[in-house]
Amino acid sequence: MAAIPGIAFDGNPGVVRGAVPGAGDRPDESYGSPMWPIAEGRASATPASRHVPFDARGAVLVARVWEALELPGSAMDYHFVLQGAVDRLWSGRRADPAGLELLEVFARLDLALMEAAPQAVSFDAADAPATFVRVTSVPRLIGLLEREGAFTEALELARRLAHFGQGEDVAARLSEKAGALVAEAAAGGGSA
């Protein structure tokens, strides 16, 4: 993922890229579309998109996500890896509350990816106006921050998400909440 122009991603220091199975794989493009080597022959799915098992949870999930971000893939592959991880960490939050920290890391990384490579969340042709797919990772983080009372931080993320045709209503609601808190603090003689 670090090869995507405009993204500030240096990888995870615990992952040695060359040691991750599939890191050195290159596609065979003689079929008209890239075909990647797999044990059974070839597949159209990139190493990044195949790396995280559907049933991975907890530490295994986190390790596989960090590894997948080091493997060959497209911006869309990385988006779906990150979004899937956020969804699984959210669903497992009761059993593993520490996973919420990584949920935040992965959701922020997904938003940075979307900003650097909007095609990660769009299926449109290059000559058509952009229409974006519904993203779940960033709204999940916005909701979490809002529940924690971090309205300003949630608002900033919602405004960034609005560039992708999502989150405008949330941004408006959070703007009202943040404004009310500032007004309340000012009336009480405190600072925001």
Side-chain angles (χ1 to χ4, degrees):
M1 189 166 96
I4 294 175
I7 191 159
F9 175 71
D10 297 325
N12 182 298
V15 177
V16 177
R17 186 178 197 281
V20 180
D25 289 356
R26 297 294 170 254
D28 177 353
E29 304 212 19
S30 64
Y31 296 95
S33 62
M35 296 300 286
W36 295 86
I38 60 171
E40 299 82 24
R42 299 186 191 293
S44 59
T46 66
S49 68
R50 296 188 321 260
H51 193 71
V52 182
F54 181 74
D55 60 349
R57 299 286 186 265
V60 171
L61 170 66
V62 171
R64 295 301 287 258
V65 168
W66 285 122
E67 291 172 353
L69 299 179
E70 296 292 339
L71 292 172
S74 69
M76 189 176 287
D77 294 329
Y78 301 129
H79 161 68
F80 283 114
V81 165
L82 290 164
Q83 181 166 270
V86 167
D87 290 344
R88 289 187 220 173
L89 289 166
W90 179 255
S91 68
R93 69 190 179 280
R94 283 182 176 69
D96 183 17
L100 291 176
E101 282 184 49
L102 285 162
L103 178 151
E104 182 172 353
V105 169
F106 291 154
R108 287 180 182 280
L109 193 52
D110 196 20
L111 182 56
L113 171 67
M114 292 164 49
E115 290 170 333
Q119 72 275 15
V121 291
S122 176
F123 291 110
D124 292 335
D127 59 346
T131 303
F132 300 100
V133 298
R134 191 53 124 184
V135 174
T136 61
S137 58
V138 181
R140 217 171 282 283
L141 176 57
I142 291 169
L144 180 63
L145 291 170
E146 183 178 5
R147 279 189 287 286
E148 291 177 354
F151 299 122
T152 305
E153 196 174 349
L155 175 58
E156 184 256 329
L157 291 174
R159 286 180 174 154
R160 289 170 62 192
L161 185 61
H163 294 288
F164 300 94
Q166 304 167 53
E168 297 92 344
D169 55 335
V170 174
R173 187 182 76 243
L174 288 169
S175 184
E176 287 177 22
K177 280 186 176 183
L181 286 174
V182 168
E184 185 179 313
S191 63

